[in-house]
Each structure stands twice: as structure tokens, then as C-alpha cells.
Amino acid sequence: MGLVLAGGFVKAETMMCIEVYKPVCAVKNGIVKTYSNDCFAKIDDAEILHMWTCTWMEKYNMIKKLKYITGDTQKMVDKAIENYFKKISSKTIPEQLNILQKKLQKIQQVREQLQKAWKLNEVIWELLFYLEFKFEEKIAQLKSHLVWTENTISQDLLQSVLQETWE
């Protein structure tokens, strides 16, 4: 049985999902997010973009479509972000990653809190989305640098072992 609302009929239904990992990329209120499967995306009223996880490129393409964080505003935000990254650059890469991941979580929490309180207008959403994107980008750069450094060390060690073996 349904629920009657001011001249219309709305079907009330309960949906349950099974925790099976078949990721989908979906968007809700302009926020691109990977859901563990299509059921969870549907429950969240998200529009499924495609099967599998969301990519950095999709977020990058959304950045190019921003209406408010552009031009001088974007330059000002970029300068503040750049100064913050410089401020923590003296720390080790693992320490930087830890700091940035905590800041990214804080940005996401603020966005979610504002969204729940219905205080998230388009300008604030764009700013938080842009900050989230920039922090994710920096985290990815640091992680790739860390992997490259670890591989370089391993290769150096391998070369020294080979040299000792052949001598």
C-alpha cells in the first residue's frame, strides 16, 4: 500500500542491498562518488554514470565546468592551497600524506554536515569540491613519489647485489 500526498500517489517501499563489491560510479548533487554496487547508489538516489570506480579524470572534467571557482577566485584558492602544501613540505612524505588525508576527511565532513543542514549552496559546494580535488591530486602525487622512491631503492639494492655476485 502507498502513501497519499496532496492529490498524488507516492509508492512507499523499502529497499535492501547485499554487500557485494561490484562498484559503480555515480553522481548525487554534483558529487561524484564510487558506490560498492548499484543498489547502494540507487538507495542514495544517485545517478549511475558507469560501472566500476570513478576516476580522477571524471572529477577533473567536472572542475572545468565550475561556475564560481574560476579566474581570480580560482587563482586565490590555488595560492592558498599552494602555500599550505609548501608549509608541510618539510615533513617526510608519509607525514605529509597523513596530514593531507586528515585535511581531506575534514573537508568531506564539512561538506556532508553543510549538506545535511541544507546550508550547502552552489558556491560553497564548488569551493569544497575544488579543495577536495586538489587534496586528492596532491595525495596521489605523494603516493606515486613514495612508490617510485621505494622502487628506486629496491633497484639500487638489486644492482649492488648483482655487482657483488658478478665480482
Side-chain angles (χ1 to χ4, degrees):
M1 181 154 223
L3 188 65
V4 179
L5 296 175
F9 182 81
V10 177
K11 187 177 179 185
E13 55 181 82
T14 304
M15 191 168 174
M16 293 176 58
C17 296
I18 297 172
E19 190 61 54
V20 174
Y21 190 70
K22 288 186 177 180
V24 296
C25 180
V27 63
K28 179 180 176 181
N29 299 327
I31 298 168
V32 177
K33 178 180 173 183
T34 299
Y35 290 83
S36 60
N37 62 50
D38 62 340
C39 182
F40 287 105
K42 289 175 186 172
I43 281 180
D44 199 27
D45 290 324
E47 177 188 342
I48 297 173
L49 301 172
H50 59 78
M51 300 302 285
W52 204 242
T53 60
C54 301
T55 64
W56 178 84
M57 189 52 110
E58 286 169 328
K59 287 188 177 184
Y60 176 77
N61 287 334
M62 287 184 70
I63 290 294
K64 294 192 292 185
K65 296 177 185 174
L66 297 180
K67 293 188 279 185
Y68 302 103
I69 308 300
T70 59
D72 290 340
T73 305
Q74 187 174 9
K75 287 177 187 171
M76 181 183 71
V77 172
D78 284 343
K79 185 72 174 165
I81 293 169
E82 183 182 321
N83 287 339
Y84 181 75
F85 291 161
K86 281 182 185 175
K87 184 176 147 185
I88 65 168
S89 66
S90 62
K91 305 207 178 283
T92 66
I93 291 177
E95 289 172 331
Q96 289 179 55
L97 281 169
N98 188 36
I99 291 167
L100 292 174
Q101 286 167 336
K102 285 180 180 176
K103 287 290 182 190
L104 178 60
Q105 286 175 344
K106 183 66 177 170
I107 291 166
Q108 291 166 338
Q109 287 171 354
V110 166
R111 178 177 38 79
E112 288 171 12
Q113 288 168 354
L114 289 173
Q115 202 167 357
K116 285 178 184 173
W118 297 92
K119 294 181 181 177
L120 187 62
N121 67 33
E122 218 174 330
V123 177
I124 294 171
W125 177 87
E126 281 193 10
L127 175 60
L128 292 171
F129 179 79
Y130 189 74
L131 288 172
E132 192 173 325
F133 174 80
K134 288 297 192 175
F135 274 72
E136 286 174 347
E137 182 179 50
K138 184 67 172 179
I139 288 167
Q141 288 172 352
L142 288 172
K143 282 182 177 178
S144 67
H145 180 74
L146 191 60
V147 168
W148 180 84
T149 304
E150 288 171 354
N151 286 340
T152 303
I153 292 167
S154 299
Q155 289 173 1
D156 290 345
L157 181 61
L158 179 63
Q159 284 179 346
S160 70
V161 169
L162 287 173
Q163 283 177 347
E164 286 180 29
T165 307
W166 294 114
E167 289 179 358

